[in-house]
């Protein structure tokens, strides 16, 4: 999530809430995920990690089933 930049793109497009904080004074803001932001995100989106915990199956198996569907 952090290295691919997709969460930042979702937040900048107002699809999910995020907290923006400056890293250093005078620099651009960095996207930070507060607990309330994560909760709102998971109400709207499902991730492979969420599916893995909900269905007690390996995420690779679940993703393979979704691709086959």
């Amino acid at each position: 999530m952090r290295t691919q930049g997709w969460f930042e793109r979702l937040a900048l497009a107002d699809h999910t809430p995020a907290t923006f904080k400056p890293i250093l004074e005078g620099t651009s803001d960095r996207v930070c995920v507060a607990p309330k932001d994560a909760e709102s995100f998971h109400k709207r989106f499902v991730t492979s990690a969420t599916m893995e915990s909900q269905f007690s199956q390996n995420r690779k198996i679940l993703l393979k089933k979704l691709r086959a569907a």
Side-chain angles (χ1 to χ4, degrees):
M1 178 165 110
R2 294 184 184 121
T3 60
Q4 296 174 346
W6 60 265
F7 184 82
E8 289 85 355
R9 288 192 298 271
L10 285 173
L12 290 171
D14 290 328
H15 292 295
T16 188
T19 304
F20 294 89
K21 295 182 180 179
I23 301 171
L24 298 171
E25 190 173 323
T27 62
S28 61
D29 289 347
R30 179 92 174 199
V31 175
C32 299
V33 182
K36 63 181 176 90
D37 299 332
E39 186 178 321
S40 294
F41 174 83
H42 285 291
K43 284 182 182 178
R44 184 164 182 195
F45 299 99
V46 177
T47 65
S48 59
T50 305
M51 289 189 309
E52 184 176 41
S53 65
Q54 287 181 351
F55 299 112
S56 301
Q57 286 190 351
N58 184 287
R59 68 181 76 189
K60 290 184 180 182
I61 294 170
L62 293 168
L63 291 172
K64 186 176 180 179
K65 288 179 181 180
L66 284 173
R67 286 185 190 108

